[in-house]
Amino acid sequence: AQSVTQLDSHVSVSEGTPVLLRCNYSSSYSPSLFWYVQHPNKGLQLLLKYTSAATLVKGINGFEAEFKKSETSFHLTKPSAHMSDAAEYFCVVNPGYSSASKIIFGSGTRLSIRP
Amino acid sequence: GAVVSQHPSWVICKSGTSVKIECRSLDFQATTMFWYRQFPKQSLMLMATSNEGSKATYEQGVEKDKFLINHASLTLSTLTVTSAHPEDSSFYICSANPPAGPSTDTQYFGPGTRLTVL
């Protein structure tokens, strides 16, 4: 069965320091993996996605994620946090490749940024 | 591209009334759309899969007579919360995938609708 585990429910960093949000997945084959960000009372915005073209994926707003098959991980990083990065982040797996596939959400990680 | 809109963004209604929420794919046609519900500080919970021209597929535990879904065109799905009660108050989000191409595996989300039932 497919699953996604976000290892931290809450991460707090100081502005200007690196961000690491951890995600592990379980899949019997190479799925599509995504990171989304959700600001309060907003929908989810796609940050980046992995679809086997390259293991290091660059996204919007300076975020990137590295797919490590041996570790079944897809951690999200950013070199320098900004106050506007404070939000909820979701790691998501799409186990299928059709537009009708149900995706699987991680439980989310709330990122707080200290001034 | 791949923009999904929702209307209204927030709604307040009295207990016992019905509320309709619209989800539109603005720059692509979507044969399938998804409806989610999100409680405070929680992840999204899939309620149903909306299929253009056919009946929606509801997740276990979701009352189909309570949450009516209509997907009458390739760009519009509606969710109607019938006889709403305070426990239906929540944040409702829809999503859709482009039907073909490199982004067909990507769900694009609407901005959400905050429903408050008094």
Side-chain angles (χ1 to χ4, degrees):
Chain A
Q2 320 280 344
S3 67
V4 179
T5 303
Q6 290 184 243
L7 300 167
D8 307 291
S9 59
H10 182 214
V11 170
S12 179
V13 301
S14 297
E15 189 176 20
T17 64
V19 174
L20 170 63
L21 306 183
R22 299 182 294 165
C23 172
N24 285 98
Y25 71 94
S26 171
S27 174
S28 56
Y29 49 88
S30 293
S32 298
L33 295 163
F34 307 82
W35 276 98
Y36 289 88
V37 60
Q38 184 182 32
H39 289 91
N41 294 308
K42 301 290 185 184
L44 275 67
Q45 180 185 18
L46 179 66
L47 278 178
L48 51 82
K49 76 172 188 179
Y50 165 78
T51 53
S52 78
T55 56
L56 183 62
V57 182
K58 293 187 183 299
I60 62 170
N61 301 334
F63 284 95
E64 60 182 40
E66 186 172 8
F67 173 73
K68 292 186 177 181
K69 188 174 181 179
S70 60
E71 299 176 9
T72 61
S73 68
F74 189 56
H75 300 337
L76 181 71
T77 60
K78 182 173 181 177
S80 176
H82 192 272
M83 294 300 291
S84 61
D85 295 327
E88 189 83 15
Y89 291 79
F90 292 98
C91 182
V92 171
V93 169
N94 186 343
Y97 294 95
S98 77
S99 59
S101 298
K102 296 179 188 178
I103 59 177
I104 301 167
F105 284 85
S107 54
T109 298
R110 181 166 60 93
L111 176 62
S112 300
I113 312 296
R114 301 186 298 271
Chain B
V3 179
V4 176
S5 71
Q6 274 182 252
H7 178 81
S9 55
W10 58 270
V11 56
I12 301 172
C13 69
K14 292 182 178 180
S15 187
T17 62
S18 295
V19 174
K20 180 184 286 188
I21 303 170
E22 294 185 346
C23 177
R24 294 182 185 272
S25 54
L26 297 185
D27 51 2
F28 64 97
Q29 294 182 328
T31 54
T32 303
M33 290 184 174
F34 301 89
W35 285 97
Y36 296 86
R37 183 172 180 177
Q38 186 178 32
F39 292 101
K41 299 186 186 301
Q42 294 189 23
S43 189
L44 280 68
M45 179 189 77
L46 180 65
M47 298 175 66
T49 302
S50 171
N51 304 299
E52 189 270 334
S54 65
K55 292 181 179 180
T57 305
Y58 290 83
E59 296 299 300
Q60 191 173 8
V62 178
E63 299 175 61
K64 58 183 67 177
D65 295 331
K66 173 76 169 175
F67 298 100
L68 300 179
I69 291 172
N70 183 274
H71 194 153
S73 79
L74 287 172
T75 59
L76 173 63
S77 174
T78 60
L79 168 68
T80 301
V81 183
T82 62
S83 186
H85 290 282
E87 58 265 29
D88 299 322
S89 298
S90 193
F91 195 54
Y92 293 88
I93 305 176
C94 70
S95 71
N97 302 45
S103 296
T104 192
D105 62 345
T106 305
Q107 284 195 20
Y108 292 91
F109 290 84
T113 297
R114 171 72 60 193
L115 170 63
T116 301
V117 185
L118 301 177

